[in-house]
Amino acid sequence: MTDLEIAQATPMEPIQKVAAKIGIPEDALEYYGKYKAKLSFDYLKSIQDQPQGKLILVTAINPTKAGEGKSTTTVGLGDALNRLGKKTMMALREPSLGPVFGLKGGATGGGYAQVVPMEDINLHFTGDMHAITTTNNLVCACLDNSIHQGNPLHIDPTKVTFKRCLDMNDRTLRDITIGQGSKANGVERKDGFNITVASEVMAALCLADDLMDLKERFARMQVAYTYDGDPVYVRDLGIQGAMAMVMKDAVLPNIVQTLEHNPVLIHGGPFANIAHGCNSVIATKACLELADYTVTEAGFGADLGAEKFLDIKCRLANLKPNAVVIVATIRALKQHGGVAFEDLKEENVDAMLAGCGNLAKHIDTVQQFGLPYIVAINQFESDSPKEIEALENWCKENGHPMSLSQVWAKGGEGALDLAQQVIALCDQPNTYAPLYDVHASIEDKINTIAQKVYGADGVDFTDEAKAQIDTFNRLGWNELPICMAKTQMSLTDDGKIMGRPTGFRITVRELRPSLGAGFIVALTGKVLTMPGLPKHPSALDMDIDENGKIVGLF
Amino acid sequence: MTDLEIAQATPMEPIQKVAAKIGIPEDALEYYGKYKAKLSFDYLKSIQDQPQGKLILVTAINPTKAGEGKSTTTVGLGDALNRLGKKTMMALREPSLGPVFGLKGGATGGGYAQVVPMEDINLHFTGDMHAITTTNNLVCACLDNSIHQGNPLHIDPTKVTFKRCLDMNDRTLRDITIGQGSKANGVERKDGFNITVASEVMAALCLADDLMDLKERFARMQVAYTYDGDPVYVRDLGIQGAMAMVMKDAVLPNIVQTLEHNPVLIHGGPFANIAHGCNSVIATKACLELADYTVTEAGFGADLGAEKFLDIKCRLANLKPNAVVIVATIRALKQHGGVAFEDLKEENVDAMLAGCGNLAKHIDTVQQFGLPYIVAINQFESDSPKEIEALENWCKENGHPMSLSQVWAKGGEGALDLAQQVIALCDQPNTYAPLYDVHASIEDKINTIAQKVYGADGVDFTDEAKAQIDTFNRLGWNELPICMAKTQMSLTDDGKIMGRPTGFRITVRELRPSLGAGFIVALTGKVLTMPGLPKHPSALDMDIDENGKIVGLF
């Protein structure tokens, strides 16, 4: 059965029944149909002083291109904790609609560890993505209108930094020229579209405390430079109020259920490269206030997702994590040991053990953050008994807690051991602290991440990056955390280098201010912020019949 | 008090209570919060064989740039019919989000004749516009991807007819160049964005019977030409199933309430120039099946909105209208009598009477369609007693039924006389028939509309239009109704010519196939399908406070 067929074959419970399990009253729900709701503004206010439960982060090693199964493990672990009688919620990212039509598919877990209604969550859900798209493009329309209507802010049309966006994989919108044709069509300039999840509006939403904080974040977003080189902010355009108004519902977290009818908040889903790749602070805090255990995830491997979760999100939102689950697959370990993607189904114990260095480095990173951890092996049908045994032995020999997770095949039942170990980890004291001082120089902060997290010898900055650092220092933008944009496939900035490399350096090519989000993005290579469609897009195989039944969504 | 303040000061009833008034059971509702819902797929199916009630169209004379108040009259008349004990629903168009940030404001009526929650309806509502935007842009992404991935359909990049869209007033997106930069960014070509309501996806939604019919309409949309000049359709791209999937919720009509807690369906809102300007057939039929009286509206004046409602929508959907309300304001009649827009507040009985020719022509048009009618004078504070008396006398002398409507100031109470007269009109037999035979030639159909509805002497076709007619005849696209794109300000194709002109001709400059919608668009001038923002956009005055209260939306 496909993920969609499993999801469709499982009857859902009315969302008020799922919410009631965790003590959310019905009048706290703003329904979106029978199986989705937003938590109301008033209810969120009413719970904000409740004591917070334990926070568990699910991260991973550097993945294969198919991913390691972080969402699936998060859902399965949450279901398992509930099976053990622990009041548990999960906080997940909202899927982007664009990739659904391409190749990647949705992001609601898999097998028997899924969040439902998966069709709705992967399509429009409650409209948050569309609100972000609208908010982003309102900035662009007002900015270009200001240039057209006499340009009172003296915006240099060649120095507009804020791009338009759409939630669609559309490569032809990456580099475009707008304002062509007659003079009535505005001022011609080069522009481009990002996919919506790469918009700074998304990053700001995910780090905001509430709607008023989000409005302030909007006001300080930098959108362009004047002819004199001075920054232009959203507050100069005067539309932060309108932007906040457009986001009034999108700022509220969405509640849905797992296939085992446990409550999940899905809210916000920023890119894990030019943004920090975690669901909203609002959703995470709501879970912590409502549940004794909150399981959440961060995009890509621990070098990107966990580092940003721990250095950016937890720091800025004052969150205290309790334990980290590092997901690994035997497939990915074999890839790190030199096996080609096409051959990952074949047994290869030696390659797997050779690839364990990658896992060891991510464990080392989590240890540096002062947090207890466990390795969760996300089991695949192709994993051989010998491979599993060898990996168990490797963990035992190196003193790493480990559990075999079978949530894809068995749901929460497949992660009972993992859940029991996680409960024990959460009871341990920990010494969590971010890795760097936010008041250090931009160069020092990047160096710390590269050396401590990637295992690099050091960082080279291009002349462009150096000039940008000078500008940022002059403008007072330097006292912010760093959001690294790096390939997720490797610990280095070269996606082809597997395993646990040493003796390499990282090159930072560009820095971008993300002042509304509250961090500086450091780009180590070309980051594509608008994906394209493959030769055979998934859209070609999608359909819906006269009874509303969907096929081809995955 | 502003419209928004009046709306905010009126407590709403839970939408299930409003729905129950008309016999809609709670399990037929898919909630979007407490005051908005969609009627479920199954419920729509269950009522489709119920006998249909009476259908009343609200149209207008050629308006001032402020509009004549059709939506306000529709709401007030519906409330008045409910006050008289008649089981009545209203069917309205969904507002576009783009103009809300510009100048025009929303489209939910005004004063005490409004539909609420007005903030939500004017912002994201239930996400229908966003679903249309996504569906439209999925076509574009797949089309350009097909060109990029070897161009198996031999699409000529200079002959792509289907544009991208956004629900935003953004003039710089009218004429753009896409696919620039490296080869990986696709094939460079000229393109442009329409505002979402101008998308053919919207027009097709509004004429579809159900989701399966909509899927077939998508399949037959023409999107480009090959290098050999052959048309390329959506079915050649193979994505009609994915498009229908994206529209699965948007195809369901939305129920909301008037300030007097009467049920209104708001669903679909196509442009009234390059499309037909009426809410969805699905919503209108649902109202007819549920209520004894349905009041609906059509965009712009009777020369555009009513003509298209009666020649396109009623013909294609097999609807039988019973009466027409022609809304006029004394302000607009004075403008037709030669008074400048700035001076319309000043009493001028002679100018008003001189302008009545415009009203007379629209009455003549409705008579040609074989329908009973009434003139509704939408009263303004600036209307003088002498002007009102003179207009009443003019109607009496010419035998036109008439009623003074005060719904803006009084709600349903202000249209009780109008409602009583409308009830009587609906009991009259009528001889409704479309004005032209759909099998006539394209030229004959356009000539019929121009002569019978506009009062023109005839039609001139440019060479371009003649060549297009030849092409359409060759491709078999000729046996469709005509959707005229003409200025709404005048009966002629020149927006400056007021009153009831004679001795003029109409020039058709271009024809466009809208095969998914099921009509041929005839353009009589340059039609702007992407508006711009004014010098001081409304967005600058919008805000939301810490309690979620909105200001500046109108």
Side-chain angles (χ1 to χ4, degrees), chain A residues 26-34 36 40-41 45 97 100-101 119-120 123-125 127 130-135 137-142 144-145 148-150 164-187 190-191 193 211-212 215 237-242 244-249 528 532-548 550-551 553, chain B residues 26-34 36 40-41 45 97 100-101 119-120 123-125 127 130-135 137-142 144-145 148-150 164-187 190-191 193 211-212 215 237-242 244-249 528 532-548 550-551 553:
Chain A
E26 185 167 0
D27 68 4
L29 301 178
E30 298 283 345
Y31 290 108
Y32 284 69
K34 296 177 176 60
K36 297 167 286 178
S40 77
F41 183 80
K45 262 192 172 170
L97 189 51
V100 166
F101 300 121
E119 299 98 319
D120 287 6
L123 292 173
H124 308 290
F125 200 19
H130 296 312
I132 293 167
T133 303
T134 301
T135 304
N137 294 334
L138 177 61
V139 174
C140 303
C142 289
D144 277 305
N145 187 55
H148 174 70
Q149 307 273 7
R164 287 170 168 78
C165 78
L166 264 188
D167 195 11
M168 186 63 66
N169 282 18
D170 192 345
R171 68 170 64 74
T172 53
L173 292 179
R174 283 176 195 155
D175 283 305
I176 67 173
T177 301
I178 62 169
Q180 297 185 309
S182 77
K183 208 183 154 186
N185 293 354
V187 174
K190 293 273 177 194
D191 195 21
F193 278 72
L211 188 58
M212 293 302 101
K215 183 158 70 175
L237 294 171
I239 52 168
Q240 62 273 17
M245 179 189 75
V246 174
M247 291 291 290
K248 79 177 174 71
D249 298 316
L528 218 52
L533 289 171
K535 190 149 191 159
H536 185 92
S538 306
L540 302 186
D541 306 316
M542 293 171 174
D543 202 1
I544 184 166
D545 72 12
E546 67 277 13
N547 299 313
I550 287 172
V551 293
L553 191 65
Chain B
E26 186 168 359
D27 69 4
L29 301 178
E30 297 284 344
Y31 291 107
Y32 285 69
K34 295 178 177 56
K36 298 166 286 177
S40 76
F41 183 80
K45 262 192 172 171
L97 189 51
V100 166
F101 301 121
E119 298 99 319
D120 287 5
L123 291 173
H124 307 290
F125 201 20
H130 297 311
I132 293 167
T133 303
T134 302
T135 304
N137 294 334
L138 176 61
V139 174
C140 303
C142 289
D144 277 305
N145 187 56
H148 174 70
Q149 307 273 8
R164 286 170 168 77
C165 77
L166 264 187
D167 194 12
M168 186 63 67
N169 282 17
D170 193 345
R171 67 170 65 74
T172 53
L173 292 179
R174 282 175 195 154
D175 283 305
I176 68 173
T177 301
I178 62 169
Q180 297 184 310
S182 76
K183 207 184 154 185
N185 293 354
V187 174
K190 294 273 179 195
D191 195 21
F193 278 73
L211 188 57
M212 293 302 102
K215 182 157 72 175
L237 294 170
I239 53 168
Q240 62 273 17
M245 179 190 74
V246 174
M247 292 291 289
K248 78 179 175 70
D249 299 315
L528 218 53
L533 289 171
K535 189 150 191 159
H536 186 92
S538 305
L540 301 186
D541 307 316
M542 293 172 174
D543 202 1
I544 184 166
D545 72 12
E546 67 277 14
N547 300 313
I550 287 172
V551 293
L553 191 64

Side-chain angles (χ1 to χ4, degrees), chain B residues 320-340:
Chain B
K320 307 288 178 208
N322 297 89
V324 177
V325 176
I326 304 169
V327 180
T329 61
I330 286 173
R331 291 164 53 83
L333 292 171
K334 284 189 279 191
Q335 183 166 305
H336 283 295
V339 177

